[in-house]
Amino acid sequence: MTAELKMLIGGELVEGDATLDVVNPATAKTFVTVARASEAQAAKAIAAAKKAQPAWAALSREQRQGYLNKLADAIDANADKLARTLTQEQGKPLPEAQAEIAYTTIFLRYFGGMELPVEVAQDDADLRVEVHYKPLGVVVGIAPWNFPVLIAMNKVGPALTLGNTIVIKPAPTTPAATLMVGELAASILPPGVLNIVVDQNDLGGFLTSHPDVNKVSFTGSTVTGKKVAASAASTLKRLTLELGGNDAGVVLDDVDVKKTAQGVMASAFMNAGQVCIALKRLYVPSKIYDEMCDELATLAEETSYGDGLQQGVKVGPLQNAQQFEKAKKFLEDAKRDGKIIAGGAAGDGDGYFIKPTIVRDIKEGSPLVDEEQFAPILPVIQYDDIDDVIARANDTNMGLGGSVWSSSIDRAYEYAKRVDSGTVWINHHTHFAPHIPFGGAKESGIGVEFSAHGLSEYAQKAVISINKH
Ligand code: NAD
């Protein structure tokens, strides 16, 4: 069978040794068939990246920036087509898909303009000691299915800027738009600098243990992240792991309830709740608990769900059948452990729809509170003591993000400092940008992405020490 979308290996757009059907989660039907790699093809991609790396690293930083800008231009010029494909494969509403593509080029251009100049650690009568940031070599970038294009390109940008080459592997349920970016890249980048291979969850181990791979940048679940760490250990590859989260939002008793409820909804229901840094459990003081629950329930009932290509839809389907089954299980737990005050059921149609759901009178101990739901189902938990609630927010092996909401920034700030996570937002949640370091505490990850901190994870720090005598 011929694939409608091909992989990019060594500068060529190639058929796979197999094919993979990509399902539109709004219809539960295949909408495109793409090329799928064998292990031999994955090995070819790594070999091509290895061969291309020295010449790529030998270019000037400005030349590499020029290539990344051209790729960003091509993505912008094809943004409509890419966004529609993204909605069809991922499920997110078209405006969210358009935003993902727009962010992708903003980030690519930003990374292309970054550099890590030589630092002078010491320069005196005796010694001159310099710190150089050298490329690591071949990077493998593994992406999840929630922001397929943005996350993949956020590995391509920093890797290529510093003179590394890369092999990208999208998630098996969302390879299509990424392969379309590969089609664009084929006529822009030198052969082998960017390679894209598709698997069916069967090439991760091969890619992350291959001796010619120097770094793995992985974004996905904590369970898989641990497998990646184990696999990369055999050759001590450099690792960046961006993993799961169970972000708590802590509301203080002085908030404007309506305004806060809107801020909470914007985070918790973005991409149908399938965002690593979505607000996933909300703690509200008893004094305003009923009012906040009622407000959230009203907003959830007003939130339209459906096929992301339909105008006005705010919550699309869950991305895949497995996630849909998990979400239905969370609804069962919620019925048993709490009280559903909005939504609470699968949606109409053949797609993987869950109605925007608010659950109140629920506590820790219920899977919906303790685990990452990755669904449009928000538990709202009552509290009386603020110190106790900060301890409860922190009582998890996750630590990606968190937020504190208050009319007093000073008051919120004091509590924000006590939340154990990579990011704490005050009066918002889920904001990120290429100049702000992003990463998880505890089992939410190792290392950071973005900013000079993130960029330096794609470099070997190499010291040159000169004896002046
Ligand atoms: P997943 O871990 O199931 O899959 C992620 C990727 O890993 C996919 O490409 C998959 O094919 C690949 N994979 C599977 N087995 C592998 C193996 N043994 N070795 C290497 N790779 C392997 O995650 P998912 O379900 O696609 O994504 C959802 C998860 O990702 C959530 O937990 C979410 O919080 C997390 N996430 C984190 C961030 C972040 O930046 N921290 C961003 C987005 C998503």
Side-chain angles (χ1 to χ4, degrees):
M1 188 177 181
T2 318
E4 292 157 80
L5 285 167
K6 299 192 172 69
M7 298 183 291
L8 177 60
I9 299 178
E12 304 282 326
L13 293 169
V14 297
E15 293 281 352
D17 286 338
T19 56
L20 183 73
D21 290 337
V22 182
V23 169
N24 178 342
T27 61
K29 292 192 176 64
T30 298
F31 87 99
V32 67
T33 299
V34 305
R36 179 186 150 201
S38 60
E39 219 169 81
Q41 288 182 306
K44 265 192 193 166
I46 293 171
K50 189 178 176 187
K51 187 167 166 226
Q53 198 269 328
W56 179 249
L59 296 178
S60 70
R61 193 200 64 77
E62 289 75 14
Q63 284 172 312
R64 291 194 295 268
Q65 179 177 17
Y67 279 112
L68 286 172
N69 284 344
K70 272 194 197 151
L71 181 59
D73 291 345
I75 294 172
D76 279 340
N78 290 277
D80 286 346
K81 218 164 62 180
L82 284 165
R84 281 188 78 80
T85 301
L86 188 52
T87 290
Q88 282 173 288
E89 70 176 331
Q90 203 282 334
K92 64 185 59 179
L94 190 58
E96 286 191 30
Q98 287 162 336
E100 178 172 341
I101 300 300
Y103 262 63
T104 298
T105 59
I106 290 169
F107 274 67
L108 266 183
R109 289 197 175 89
Y110 187 90
F111 293 133
M114 289 182 87
E115 62 183 324
L116 295 171
V118 172
E119 288 166 15
V120 178
Q122 182 179 343
D123 195 13
D124 54 25
D126 302 319
L127 282 178
R128 178 175 169 89
V129 182
E130 297 176 348
V131 183
H132 292 241
Y133 291 87
K134 303 202 316 204
L136 289 164
V138 175
V139 176
V140 158
I142 297 182
W145 45 255
N146 58 348
F147 291 87
V149 179
L150 180 63
I151 290 176
M153 292 302 127
N154 284 351
K155 302 180 187 310
V156 170
L160 265 49
T161 298
L162 284 186
N164 303 284
T165 52
I166 193 164
V167 178
I168 286 288
K169 193 202 80 59
T173 54
T174 53
T178 310
L179 291 174
M180 287 166 70
V181 172
E183 282 181 350
L184 300 172
S187 58
I188 295 172
L189 297 176
V193 166
L194 166 63
N195 306 272
I196 303 176
V197 294
V198 174
D199 76 341
Q200 201 167 30
N201 272 333
D202 54 350
L203 289 179
F206 179 79
L207 290 167
T208 56
S209 63
H210 196 287
D212 288 339
V213 171
N214 306 93
K215 177 187 169 82
V216 177
S217 176
F218 172 84
T219 304
S221 63
T222 296
V223 171
T224 312
K226 289 178 184 178
K227 288 186 197 159
V228 170
S231 171
S234 60
T235 51
L236 291 183
K237 295 184 201 318
R238 303 305 179 259
L239 266 185
T240 304
L241 300 177
E242 293 291 354
L243 309 177
N246 191 9
D247 292 15
V250 176
V251 176
L252 304 188
D253 59 6
D254 59 4
V255 294
D256 174 333
V257 169
K258 275 190 187 309
K259 194 172 151 202
T260 302
Q262 278 168 0
V264 166
M265 293 291 294
S267 171
F269 289 72
M270 181 193 290
N271 199 13
Q274 302 164 115
V275 183
C276 54
I277 41 171
L279 194 160
K280 295 189 176 128
R281 47 195 172 118
L282 186 70
Y283 289 91
V284 179
S286 298
K287 195 174 130 188
I288 55 168
Y289 186 72
D290 288 341
E291 197 189 342
M292 180 65 82
C293 287
D294 291 349
E295 187 61 29
L296 289 168
T298 303
L299 292 175
E301 289 291 353
E302 285 169 7
T303 303
S304 56
Y305 74 89
D307 185 332
L309 287 180
Q310 275 166 23
Q311 225 180 356
V313 162
K314 290 281 187 301
V315 170
L318 293 189
Q319 199 281 315
N320 55 68
Q322 196 186 355
Q323 193 58 36
F324 185 47
E325 291 310 313
K326 269 195 202 170
K328 286 192 282 189
K329 177 78 178 53
F330 279 123
L331 285 181
E332 281 170 30
D333 298 332
K335 276 180 197 146
R336 183 191 61 227
D337 302 335
K339 187 172 165 204
I340 291 173
I341 52 173
D348 305 327
D350 294 334
Y352 309 139
F353 299 110
I354 295 284
K355 292 181 179 170
T357 298
I358 304 289
V359 185
R360 60 170 287 168
D361 302 329
I362 189 162
K363 289 202 280 279
E364 293 88 353
S366 175
L368 181 63
V369 178
D370 296 348
E371 296 171 21
E372 179 181 44
Q373 66 272 50
F374 242 51
I377 310 171
L378 180 68
V380 187
I381 307 143
Q382 187 168 359
Y383 78 86
D384 289 306
D385 180 77
I386 178 68
D387 292 309
D388 176 55
V389 87
I390 296 290
R392 286 157 68 188
N394 287 336
D395 187 17
T396 159
N397 63 344
M398 304 285 200
L400 197 54
S403 57
V404 182
W405 304 72
S406 171
S407 298
S408 159
I409 290 180
D410 289 346
R411 209 175 148 221
Y413 188 76
E414 287 312 306
Y415 294 112
K417 286 192 289 187
R418 291 166 51 191
V419 176
D420 295 337
S421 60
T423 305
V424 189
W425 294 272
I426 293 176
N427 293 338
H428 65 156
H429 201 120
T430 311
H431 173 262
F432 61 97
H435 59 285
I436 302 172
F438 172 79
K442 300 191 265 186
E443 292 186 23
S444 285
I446 293 180
V448 294
E449 291 191 291
F450 314 157
S451 79
H453 295 284
L455 188 61
S456 74
E457 296 200 13
Y458 288 87
Q460 176 61 47
K461 286 95 190 159
V463 169
I464 297 183
S465 177
I466 305 161
N467 180 356
K468 291 192 176 174
H469 298 290

